[in-house]
Amino acid sequence: MQNKTLENQRVLIVDDQRAFQLMFKGVLYSMGATNVAFAPTGEQALAKCSNIDYDILFVDYHLGIGKNGKQLLEDLREKKLLKPHSIFMLVTGENSVPVVVSAVELEPDDYLVKPFSQSVLRSRIIRIQKKKAQLAELFQALYDNHAEQVIELCQQEISEGGRYQQFCKRVLAENLIKLKRYSEAEQVLHGCLEQRRNGWALLLMARVCFEQQRFSESQALCDEALEENRLFAEAFDIKARSYLAEDDPEQAFGCIQAATDIAPYSMQRQYLYMDIAHALEDTNAKVLASKQLYEITRRSIRQDVVHLLNYIRSIIAAATLSEEPQQRNRYSQEVAIALQRARRDDNLIRDIDFDLFEILCQARLDSVSGQQFQAKKAYAAVAEHAETQQQVLPDTVLLLNQIGEFEQADRLASLIDPGLKADPVLQRLLSEQQRQNQSQQQHFAQLNKDGIRQYKEGQHMAALALFEQALELAPMNTGCALNVIQTSLQLLKSQSHGPTGTMLERCKKAFRIVDNMPLPEHHRKRYQELFNQFTQLKPEKRRK
């Protein structure tokens, strides 16, 4: 009977090596398989699974270009293409810790490292088939996401003292935690830990303690789990969350670094890494986490251009904060490389105006390097179009805040789609810029307000000095530039100032800030009036 293990089973081999496909097909045929299909890429495997329900999938972790085996597993689960009875086995010659642990964390039905014997393969398959058959109702409830039914079926298997009661206790505890029924989960886990202090029970209990804000207990349970197995990345995750909740980001950072060293290919882990980097104000770490999120999602079901955009935005934000020219140059080069690489990925960028995104990024880098006129000129060229493109509207806001157009930035920020704004990385980039600009904006607003008061009181030289100080804080602010023009013109008319040439230069410089800019209606009318006044000055006053 042994040679009939795979009789009547629909099998899919996903591997990009033709030689392995043929060799493995021979092994499977000797085990009774007669219906064996092949797919060299994750994308082709996904297409096949959309049309056929396979009973067993043997998937290589590395599949060359495109999705890897782990990403394929995520996609199949997300799209409900992996049926409750199906068996998914990751097969690879890779045995490095980050790859193995990251793959196992996703919990395929099994993980085989090449080379393996036919007897090992057969015994693994038979074991999983028996478990799936015995717990068919439970696997169906898990597939349907019916947590209450999962709990009921687990309790039934446990009460009957079934063969798989340990597995059911784990699933039961996980679903009780999912439903925030922490006291019940704790009761189940206490019973498990009294029998044996195994790793999964320790980690689930640590999660329960964390959720109940019993941080010291949670950390102690994680330490105990790590004594058993130093590769429990989740234990470091829970410790990191616990330390962060206790406002100890240094300890948290050490834990999350350990977790990412073990298993870096987790979105949830990278978001936590970013949270901790933010608490530490570590810009390099935030850029690394953002890059990793992009890399993780680039070929997965969670592929979204926003991860690419946020990675590039994070680099520019880091350049903005850097005080060292060499470091800013390195960040600028990283932006250029990322943009060039993205250009080759048509599937990722096809739904956005990537040319526009590039222009806005370059304008932001120009602003960082002190080329404010160049930055504003770039914005002026695309402003009308930029305001209608939701995906890059945040970049327009970020640029406007950088060059000091605070009022315009606030107006456009209110137009960003709430769904887009809800992205945690983008939300933080926008709020961090707002926080960093807050004192600068307040100082600018006060200087501008004081200048207006002085102007109204007829103190035009004092007003001009205040407006020019305000422009130093927001060098391309249109409203303030108009104030400078208006005050300069008043002084030119009255001749109650120094040399005419100096005043003309001040006026012309302010005009360059406003010229060719898209302006709100009230600014546009004011600009036209001031320009007319300037052209009506006596020729000798308009000469340099």
Side-chain angles (χ1 to χ4, degrees):
M1 292 295 293
Q2 282 187 329
N3 64 340
K4 300 297 182 182
T5 304
L6 299 180
E7 190 175 21
N8 300 320
Q9 298 286 292
R10 286 162 299 191
V11 180
L12 179 65
I13 299 172
V14 187
D15 195 292
D16 61 339
Q17 300 296 318
R18 184 65 177 163
F20 179 79
Q21 287 181 5
L22 296 174
M23 181 277 293
F24 198 32
K25 180 181 178 180
V27 171
L28 298 177
Y29 267 52
S30 70
M31 294 170 62
T34 55
N35 188 346
V36 179
F38 303 97
T41 69
E43 287 76 12
Q44 288 184 38
L46 198 61
K48 284 181 178 289
C49 290
S50 297
N51 298 314
I52 299 172
D53 292 338
Y54 289 99
D55 299 298
I56 305 179
L57 293 88
F58 298 99
V59 182
D60 191 68
Y61 187 95
H62 293 292
L63 293 171
I65 297 172
K67 299 178 190 295
N68 62 32
K70 177 177 176 287
Q71 290 165 337
L72 175 60
L73 177 54
E74 287 179 310
D75 290 1
L76 292 170
R77 284 178 175 166
E78 188 86 16
K79 295 189 175 191
K80 296 290 184 182
L81 295 176
L82 199 61
K83 302 306 177 184
H85 73 277
S86 300
I87 296 173
F88 187 102
M89 284 193 171
L90 274 173
V91 183
T92 184
E94 176 69 75
N95 58 8
S96 70
V97 169
V99 168
V100 173
V101 176
S102 292
V104 171
E105 276 191 327
L106 203 57
E107 297 187 351
D109 292 302
D110 212 336
Y111 186 93
L112 292 168
V113 178
K114 302 172 187 175
F116 50 84
S117 67
Q118 184 173 318
S119 61
V120 167
L121 178 62
R122 182 184 291 110
S123 65
R124 298 274 190 95
I125 293 171
I126 291 171
R127 188 186 71 216
I128 298 167
Q129 285 175 330
K130 286 179 178 177
K131 182 179 178 180
K132 295 251 180 178
Q134 177 70 30
L135 301 176
E137 280 188 85
L138 175 57
F139 280 105
Q140 184 66 52
L142 286 166
Y143 176 83
D144 294 331
N145 291 320
H146 290 165
E148 292 289 357
Q149 188 182 359
V150 167
I151 289 169
E152 184 182 332
L153 290 167
C154 285
Q155 289 171 333
Q156 182 181 325
E157 176 74 11
I158 294 164
S159 65
E160 292 172 357
R163 178 179 180 181
Y164 301 106
Q165 59 179 303
Q166 279 301 105
F167 170 76
C168 288
K169 285 178 182 177
R170 177 177 179 175
V171 175
L172 173 59
E174 286 172 342
N175 279 267
L176 288 169
I177 293 170
K178 182 180 177 181
L179 295 176
K180 300 184 178 180
R181 290 159 60 176
Y182 301 126
S183 297
E184 293 173 70
E186 187 168 359
Q187 190 175 353
V188 172
L189 293 166
H190 265 310
C192 295
L193 291 170
E194 283 177 0
Q195 292 178 349
R196 185 184 167 204
R197 309 288 289 183
N198 59 43
W200 66 262
L202 289 166
L203 289 183
L204 288 176
M205 185 66 89
R207 279 176 59 190
V208 169
C209 291
F210 171 78
E211 295 295 345
Q212 295 178 326
Q213 298 186 12
R214 292 150 52 191
F215 300 128
S216 296
E217 290 178 65
S218 179
Q219 292 161 16
L221 287 161
C222 288
D223 287 336
E224 186 179 347
L226 288 166
E227 284 177 18
E228 178 186 319
N229 184 351
R230 293 300 298 175
L231 299 181
F232 274 147
E234 190 185 348
F236 286 113
D237 288 342
I238 297 168
K239 283 186 73 177
R241 290 186 191 281
S242 181
Y243 282 125
L244 190 59
E246 291 183 314
D247 197 25
D248 188 350
E250 287 84 4
Q251 288 265 52
F253 193 65
C255 292
I256 198 61
Q257 279 190 309
T260 51
D261 284 345
I262 296 167
Y265 309 116
S266 159
M267 286 186 69
Q268 192 176 20
R269 184 163 294 131
Q270 293 298 336
Y271 276 123
L272 177 56
Y273 190 104
M274 192 173 290
D275 287 342
I276 296 166
H278 173 69
L280 288 170
E281 298 184 356
D282 187 331
T283 53
N284 275 331
K286 283 188 278 189
V287 169
L288 287 171
S290 187
K291 182 179 183 180
Q292 194 64 42
L293 281 168
Y294 163 52
E295 294 291 353
I296 291 169
T297 59
R298 197 158 62 93
R299 299 292 182 188
S300 77
I301 191 72
R302 294 178 179 82
Q303 183 191 70
D304 190 331
V305 71
V306 76
H307 297 299
L308 165 66
L309 304 187
N310 284 343
Y311 164 45
I312 295 171
R313 289 163 181 158
S314 296
I315 308 170
I316 298 173
T320 305
L321 292 172
S322 178
E323 295 178 359
E324 299 177 13
Q326 281 187 320
Q327 182 66 58
R328 285 201 301 270
N329 287 338
R330 282 196 291 272
Y331 283 134
S332 295
Q333 288 168 10
E334 190 173 348
V335 169
I337 292 167
L339 289 168
Q340 187 178 18
R341 181 186 179 192
R343 279 276 178 204
R344 297 195 293 269
D345 198 341
D346 291 335
N347 287 333
L348 185 61
I349 65 172
R350 65 186 173 192
D351 295 328
I352 72 161
D353 189 334
F354 201 72
D355 289 335
L356 177 59
F357 177 71
E358 268 193 290
I359 290 168
L360 293 168
C361 286
Q362 187 56 55
R364 292 187 64 199
L365 290 172
D366 287 340
S367 174
V368 169
S369 62
Q371 300 177 64
Q372 304 296 352
F373 276 104
Q374 182 65 28
K376 190 153 189 175
K377 184 180 177 183
Y379 166 68
V382 299
E384 188 175 348
H385 184 48
E387 292 187 20
T388 66
Q389 302 295 307
Q390 268 295 328
Q391 286 280 22
V392 298
L393 193 54
D395 305 282
T396 308
V397 172
L398 291 163
L399 171 60
L400 287 170
N401 272 320
Q402 272 183 239
I403 63 177
E405 282 281 31
F406 304 126
E407 302 90 342
Q408 181 77 337
D410 288 342
R411 183 182 72 80
L412 294 183
S414 68
L415 302 179
I416 298 175
D417 182 86
L420 186 64
K421 216 170 183 177
D423 176 83
V425 181
L426 178 57
Q427 189 180 68
R428 181 163 285 157
L429 285 166
L430 290 167
S431 62
E432 278 184 350
Q433 188 192 60
Q434 195 67 34
R435 179 176 56 81
Q436 289 154 9
N437 284 355
Q438 193 170 19
S439 62
Q440 181 181 344
Q441 279 184 257
Q442 288 172 347
H443 192 194
F444 164 81
Q446 188 61 52
L447 287 167
N448 203 38
K449 183 179 177 183
D450 290 345
I452 292 169
R453 179 174 50 79
Q454 292 279 15
Y455 181 88
K456 287 178 178 178
E457 292 174 1
Q459 303 297 318
H460 297 139
M461 281 303 294
L464 183 60
L466 288 164
F467 291 140
E468 289 185 329
Q469 285 180 56
L471 273 182
E472 287 177 14
L473 294 171
M476 296 291 114
N477 187 277
T478 304
C480 191
L482 290 171
N483 289 343
V484 168
I485 294 168
Q486 184 171 334
T487 310
S488 299
L489 287 172
Q490 198 66 34
L491 288 165
L492 280 166
K493 289 173 186 175
S494 66
Q495 296 188 330
S496 58
H497 51 79
T500 301
T502 302
M503 195 56 59
L504 277 169
E505 281 306 312
R506 287 172 163 179
C507 198
K508 289 178 179 178
K509 185 177 179 182
F511 265 119
R512 283 200 295 274
I513 294 172
V514 188
D515 285 343
N516 301 315
M517 282 298 296
L519 302 172
E521 183 62 18
H522 65 288
H523 279 348
R524 189 186 62 75
K525 287 182 178 179
R526 190 176 168 209
Y527 168 78
Q528 194 59 54
E529 289 170 4
L530 292 171
F531 183 76
N532 291 339
Q533 290 177 35
F534 180 76
T535 57
Q536 289 166 12
L537 286 173
K538 289 182 180 180
E540 62 268 19
K541 286 194 174 183
R542 285 192 282 111
R543 284 199 298 268
K544 290 186 180 180

